[in-house]
Amino acid sequence: MKNEQMTPKELEDRLIDFAVRIGNVADALPETPLGQHIADQILRSSTSPAPNYSEGCAAESRRDFAHKLSISLKELRETKT
């Protein structure tokens, strides 16, 4: 299997697609207090990685880049759990 690297644009597009798919999941949750609470939280955590990644790509230093990407990873993990 060939080891292909994703371009920054491809990764950003995947992160946006992820947010859209999680939005569909949130829309399908029941309109109960618990359903709304979970929907609100997964919407916040799933829509954050793409803009943070984009900001990381425009970082002014390696440290800033690493920080922005660590925020993206943290939000993705939060969405997963």
Side-chain angles (χ1 to χ4, degrees):
M1 181 176 186
K2 186 178 178 184
N3 184 12
E4 295 184 30
Q5 290 188 341
M6 198 178 309
T7 67
K9 175 70 172 129
E10 289 170 330
L11 180 53
E12 187 174 3
D13 288 347
R14 286 187 70 177
L15 290 169
I16 291 168
D17 182 59
F18 174 75
V20 169
R21 289 184 302 142
I22 295 297
N24 292 333
V25 170
D27 286 345
L29 290 171
E31 294 200 21
T32 63
L34 179 59
Q36 282 306 125
H37 176 75
I38 292 170
D40 291 345
Q41 184 57 42
I42 64 170
L43 286 173
R44 279 192 299 277
S45 62
S46 69
T47 56
S48 171
N52 277 303
Y53 173 75
S54 181
E55 284 295 311
C57 289
E60 296 179 11
S61 67
R62 289 178 64 96
R63 185 176 180 198
D64 188 32
F65 173 80
H67 176 69
K68 296 282 192 321
L69 263 59
S70 71
I71 293 171
S72 290
L73 183 57
K74 177 183 170 187
E75 295 294 336
L76 288 166
R77 284 185 184 138
E78 185 175 327
T79 304
K80 182 182 102 175
T81 52

